[in-house]
Amino acid sequence: MIKGCHKSIVFLKDTGSKIFDEAYFILKPEAITEEKNDIVLEANKIVNALCPDDFKGKEKKGRFGKLVAFLCGTLLGVIATLLVYLFLI
């Protein structure tokens, strides 16, 4: 158990973001002297900056993007296997 440790936390619930449901911010000791409204506004700015509006509509990738990633991974695996096989013989 840690004794004498004190952390101040700002907890945002229902951020309005499609990505974040809740957000926790651990404050620096010198930030405790600032007003609570300023701290909450700054936390909201950070959450909103991480979720720009143009990103919110692109949450779902199509099947084509997943297929290309799968095929690239498979091709790299086959090439790596062939290289290992050729150098060990």
Side-chain angles (χ1 to χ4, degrees):
M1 180 176 179
I2 299 175
K3 292 185 178 181
C5 181
H6 175 76
K7 296 281 184 180
S8 294
I9 297 176
V10 173
F11 169 63
L12 298 178
K13 190 170 184 174
D14 297 328
T15 60
S17 168
K18 292 183 179 180
I19 299 171
F20 300 109
D21 187 34
E22 299 174 348
Y24 296 87
F25 294 91
I26 300 173
L27 302 177
K28 293 181 179 180
E30 58 267 14
I32 297 172
T33 59
E34 296 184 21
E35 290 195 28
K36 292 179 184 179
N37 290 337
D38 294 339
I39 294 172
V40 173
L41 287 173
E42 185 68 24
N44 278 319
K45 284 181 190 176
I46 293 170
V47 169
N48 291 331
L50 292 173
C51 305
D53 292 334
D54 57 344
F55 179 73
K56 291 179 183 177
K58 299 180 183 177
E59 292 175 357
K60 210 172 187 181
K61 272 191 172 180
R63 289 186 180 176
F64 185 70
K66 291 179 182 179
L67 179 64
V68 170
F70 173 75
L71 292 176
C72 288
T74 304
L75 182 62
L76 287 174
V78 169
I79 291 171
T81 304
L82 288 174
L83 289 174
V84 169
Y85 181 75
L86 290 175
F87 285 116
L88 290 179
I89 291 182

